Amino acid sequence: MHYVKDIIAADIYSAIFLASYLRYTRVSKSYTDSLEVVDLQKYKVLKQPQKVRQCIRERANVPFVFIIGKN
């Protein structure tokens, strides 16, 4: 079933849990721990969460700067 903010879940409890977890990660910005920034203009791979946050704010719209997820 579809819920608020494009959440798809099997039941309402799963949807509530997912919505609260997404809110938590957005507020605490803990999602940057699982991201890396590849900057091909400067030949760098940024892995530190503080630098990733800064690069997302300042250089996300610059060509050849890619935000990727670590898996």
Side-chain angles (χ1 to χ4, degrees):
M1 298 187 72
H2 289 276
Y3 294 97
V4 185
K5 297 182 183 177
D6 295 328
I7 293 176
I8 298 173
D11 59 357
I12 189 139
Y13 302 109
S14 299
I16 291 171
F17 173 75
L18 182 58
S20 64
Y21 181 73
L22 290 173
R23 183 178 182 283
Y24 166 75
T25 58
R26 186 176 59 242
V27 169
S28 66
K29 296 186 180 175
S30 63
Y31 60 89
T32 56
D33 294 338
S34 63
L35 296 176
E36 291 179 344
V37 175
V38 178
D39 190 348
L40 295 180
Q41 291 181 345
K42 295 184 177 181
Y43 299 108
K44 289 186 178 181
V45 177
L46 302 174
K47 296 181 181 183
Q48 297 85 8
Q50 299 86 2
K51 291 186 179 187
V52 169
R53 272 188 232 125
Q54 179 183 6
C55 191
I56 289 173
R57 257 194 326 265
E58 296 172 1
R59 299 184 51 84
N61 296 325
V62 176
F64 302 110
V65 174
F66 303 102
I67 301 168
I68 57 172
K70 293 189 269 186
N71 285 332

